[in-house]
Amino acid sequence: MRAATLISRVFTPTLLLAVLYSVVGALAVGWVGVAWSLVGMVFTVAIPAAIVDVGVRRGRYTDHHLSRREQRAVPLGLAATSVLVGLAVLALAGAPRAIVALQVAVLVTVLVVTAVTLVWKVSLHVAVVGAAACVLTLLGGGWWALSWLAVPVVGWARLRLTAHDLAQVVVGCVLGALVSGAVLVIAGVASLP
């Protein structure tokens, strides 16, 4: 149980997105891309994390993982709004296409997962891990494909903690990977192998 808790904390969506943005920025345009990724992280990581943190401290949400499905709509909706504002900022400021595409991928993934989670709980952890693995594989290729190994590890952790059932874990991965991958391909920053 301790290992599953640690894995869930290390691979929490906000932390994983912070790492993903930095890597995508570096893959896209080197260190300049990392600087651009910080802008995306403000709207995709910092603001949504603050929204959840304030909600937990005020008793609106049970925990930072938004474990109760019925508590997810408002913070995920606010997160989507923040990501959308970040997208506008990045696009208007002339950010690299890969960073803008990643912002769009995160926005569409949040919207799709939120729509599903209104009626059925899906694993946000595994959705983000699946999305990250897909993005890294499409943009980095080669050794970055090993990032897929994190998917079953995180899936196991979420199952072990009884946070989700197997279907919720699998659907989370499929949604995260398909939506993010499709956005990158449509945006023209990645192509299918």
Side-chain angles (χ1 to χ4, degrees):
M1 192 72 108
R2 195 175 285 171
T5 300
L6 178 63
I7 290 166
S8 286
R9 286 186 184 154
V10 169
F11 287 93
T12 190
T14 52
L15 181 57
L16 188 56
L17 282 171
V19 172
L20 180 63
Y21 266 80
S22 299
V23 172
V24 168
L27 288 172
V29 288
W31 289 108
V32 173
V34 175
W36 278 108
S37 71
L38 294 174
V39 176
M41 281 190 270
V42 167
F43 296 97
T44 304
V45 176
I47 293 172
I51 289 167
V52 172
D53 189 55
V54 168
V56 169
R57 283 192 274 133
R58 291 187 177 168
R60 290 186 190 135
Y61 316 130
T62 308
D63 56 52
H64 288 86
H65 296 293
L66 300 172
S67 298
R68 297 184 62 196
R69 183 186 59 81
E70 61 274 7
Q71 295 177 351
R72 288 181 167 191
V74 171
L76 289 177
L78 292 172
T81 302
S82 178
V83 175
L84 180 61
V85 171
L87 174 61
V89 169
L90 287 166
L92 291 172
R97 282 182 59 197
I99 297 293
V100 174
L102 178 60
Q103 193 81 4
V104 172
V106 170
L107 176 62
V108 175
T109 301
V110 168
L111 292 173
V112 169
V113 169
T114 300
V116 172
T117 209
L118 291 176
V119 294
W120 185 64
K121 187 178 174 186
V122 65
S123 176
L124 295 172
H125 278 77
V126 181
V128 173
V129 172
C134 184
V135 167
L136 293 173
T137 301
L138 288 174
L139 295 180
W143 290 99
W144 289 104
L146 292 174
S147 60
W148 284 102
L149 296 174
V151 173
V153 173
V154 175
W156 168 84
R158 303 309 290 156
L159 291 170
R160 178 77 171 99
L161 294 172
T162 65
H164 298 283
D165 61 31
L166 183 59
Q168 294 165 340
V169 166
V170 170
V171 170
C173 179
V174 170
L175 285 177
L178 283 180
V179 171
S180 296
V183 169
L184 294 184
V185 170
I186 291 167
V189 297
S191 58
L192 295 174

